[in-house]
Amino acid sequence: MNTFERIYEVVRQIPYGNVATYGQIAQLAGNRRLARVVGYALHVNPDPDNIPCYRVVNRFGEVSDAFAFGGGNRQTELLKSEGIEFDADGRVDLNRYQWNRRAL
DNA sequence: GACCTGACCAATT
DNA sequence: TAATTGGCCAGGT
């Protein structure tokens, strides 16, 4: 299995109403330093239908600038639709919404 | 065919 | 304690 496929597999495992960070996905995919590759993998995003890249945020809980895959802040809209709240900085409270984190 | 860049993060000095 | 570098994969020039 290629690294990309592993990344896609991890991203696909992100449950509804939760988000994950690049580093977290990278670690689950094999190496934590793959975070960069994770970003690139989501950049190509061959299967956006099964790969909710909008649930993937950086370590600050904020979406990236080039994240506009669906048209601007579309991804934040989708996350809000899942019940995820954004603060004034446009960040997500990772302590509450980060996947695979405590409080499970 | 080779080099550089690109949605990043964590460890080390 | 803060700042820097290192590392991974693939695509584009």
Side-chain angles (χ1 to χ4, degrees), chain A residues 82-102:
Chain A
E82 295 190 354
I84 296 173
E85 299 177 22
F86 287 84
D87 62 6
D89 294 329
R91 294 181 187 170
V92 180
D93 189 350
L94 294 176
N95 283 315
R96 292 173 61 180
Y97 299 110
Q98 184 175 21
W99 173 51
N100 192 7
R101 191 59 172 167
R102 60 178 181 170

Side-chain angles (χ1 to χ4, degrees), chain A residues 42-91:
Chain A
L42 294 177
H43 174 55
V44 293
N45 197 7
D47 287 317
D49 190 51
N50 286 312
I51 301 171
C53 36
Y54 58 89
R55 288 183 191 159
V56 183
V57 296
N58 56 23
R59 62 194 155 105
F60 299 107
E62 184 182 53
V63 295
S64 296
D65 296 339
F67 213 113
F69 65 98
N73 56 346
R74 185 66 179 212
Q75 79 291 29
T76 51
E77 292 294 320
L78 292 171
L79 291 174
K80 287 180 184 176
S81 297
E82 295 190 354
I84 296 173
E85 299 177 22
F86 287 84
D87 62 6
D89 294 329
R91 294 181 187 170

Side-chain angles (χ1 to χ4, degrees), chain A residues 6 10 20 23-32 99-100:
Chain A
R6 278 188 287 185
V10 175
Q24 190 171 13
I25 293 166
Q27 187 169 40
L28 293 174
N31 294 328
R32 25 193 203 203
W99 173 51
N100 192 7

